[in-house]
Amino acid sequence: MDTMRDRFIAITAELLDSDPRLAVVLADISAAGFADAAVRHPDRVVNVGIREQLLIGAAGGLALTGLRPIAHTFASFLIERPFEQVKLDLGHQGVGAVLVSASGSYDWPAGGRTHMAPGDVALLDTLPGWNVHVPGHPDEAEALLRHATAAGDSLQYVRLSVHANRQARPVEPGRFLTVRRGSGAVVLAVGPMLDAVLAATEGLDVTVLYAATVRPFDAAGLRAALGDRADAVLVEPYLAGTSAQAAHDALADLPHRVLGLGVPRAEHRHYGSIPEHLAAYGLDAAGLRQRITGFLG
């Protein structure tokens, strides 16, 4: 199976050939993958080098000319490092763009803390108007990328990962998908967390929802899935509790409990591997089973 990043490069190169409004702005990351596209479209494939603030500023400038820019680099360099430019050059100027990241929370442990961004979605939550997609499979990444590039002049963030589920799901932007039905609590798995959540909840009387888009948050879908117990568990591949407030807002008129699971704020200062990071965060199947059953009693 190709990775989400591989699929992004292939599909974006194809879209550049078919849509003269699209432009790609890079900061060295994945530049080799766009070498052929840059030859075909030298005015619409721009590599600014390791200048992430300029990456976003250039995307904002292209958007002001009427183009639909796609800006791409690692998540820590796309959201965290140039956050002021994301806030001002895109949001404050009232222009749209598609930000596509790679190597999010724990994708490249050997890269160390500089290459990890578990707080990226929470950081975007401080700004208005952002649509956030967290695909769990390359096929979902392709579908969500095509949606994001065609979504007018909106602000879209597509968060790619090498951590993936074994199979793609029929995702629909802004809607949660029911994967397993039960009569008790609801467990919402985001993006690549679905396989572990399904294994962790095997035999439990819970409903499992799947989200490949977390903003907008499907409040109606969450409420419709609830049984007699208004208990919700959110399992996200980034900062724990990122979507907890959205869930609380969705259930504001009901007595309810929400457990937010994800990457903790405390740092694990060992490189390790993706499975080792997931186990350390309690996000593998065994850790999730223990924490979910403990919460539900």
Side-chain angles (χ1 to χ4, degrees), residues 9 24 27 30 63 79 85 87 99 101 109 116 123 127 140 143 180 183 208 237 239 250 257 261 270 276 286:
I9 293 171
V24 173
S30 300
I79 304 298
Q85 283 68 38
K87 178 178 69 175
L99 305 186
S101 70
M116 298 180 181
L123 193 55
L127 303 176
E140 298 170 11
R180 181 184 292 162
S183 61
V208 176
L239 187 66
R257 299 187 305 153
L261 302 179
H270 299 281
E276 287 172 328

Side-chain angles (χ1 to χ4, degrees), residues 162-194:
V162 296
H163 182 201
N165 301 313
R166 287 185 295 273
Q167 68 180 80
R169 303 284 172 167
V171 297
E172 183 179 345
R175 297 288 298 275
F176 296 160
L177 175 70
T178 302
V179 179
R180 181 184 292 162
R181 293 189 183 276
S183 61
V186 169
V187 182
L188 174 65
V190 174
M193 300 311 307
L194 180 59

Side-chain angles (χ1 to χ4, degrees), residues 171-288:
V171 297
E172 183 179 345
R175 297 288 298 275
F176 296 160
L177 175 70
T178 302
V179 179
R180 181 184 292 162
R181 293 189 183 276
S183 61
V186 169
V187 182
L188 174 65
V190 174
M193 300 311 307
L194 180 59
D195 282 356
V197 166
L198 288 174
T201 57
E202 184 68 36
L204 300 182
D205 188 19
V206 299
T207 292
V208 176
L209 298 181
Y210 177 56
T213 297
V214 291
R215 302 292 181 274
F217 187 86
D218 185 8
L222 177 62
R223 290 200 56 141
L226 285 168
D228 296 333
R229 294 180 60 181
D231 290 343
V233 180
L234 313 178
V235 185
E236 302 178 272
Y238 35 79
L239 187 66
T242 294
S243 294
Q245 187 58 55
H248 284 303
D249 290 344
L251 307 175
D253 60 338
L254 296 174
H256 66 274
R257 299 187 305 153
V258 173
L259 173 65
L261 302 179
V263 180
R265 284 178 171 79
E267 292 187 25
H268 288 266
R269 296 174 179 266
H270 299 281
Y271 294 124
S273 62
I274 289 178
E276 287 172 328
H277 274 261
L278 290 169
Y281 302 149
L283 294 178
D284 59 353
L288 289 172

Side-chain angles (χ1 to χ4, degrees), residues 18 22 25 29 31 49 54 74 81 112 114 121 138 172 178 180 208 226 237 240 244 250-251 253 257 269 291:
S18 61
L22 284 184
V25 189
I29 301 303
L54 178 59
F74 292 160
R81 183 172 293 175
T114 56
V121 178
E172 183 179 345
T178 302
R180 181 184 292 162
V208 176
L226 285 168
L251 307 175
D253 60 338
R257 299 187 305 153
R269 296 174 179 266
R291 297 165 83 184

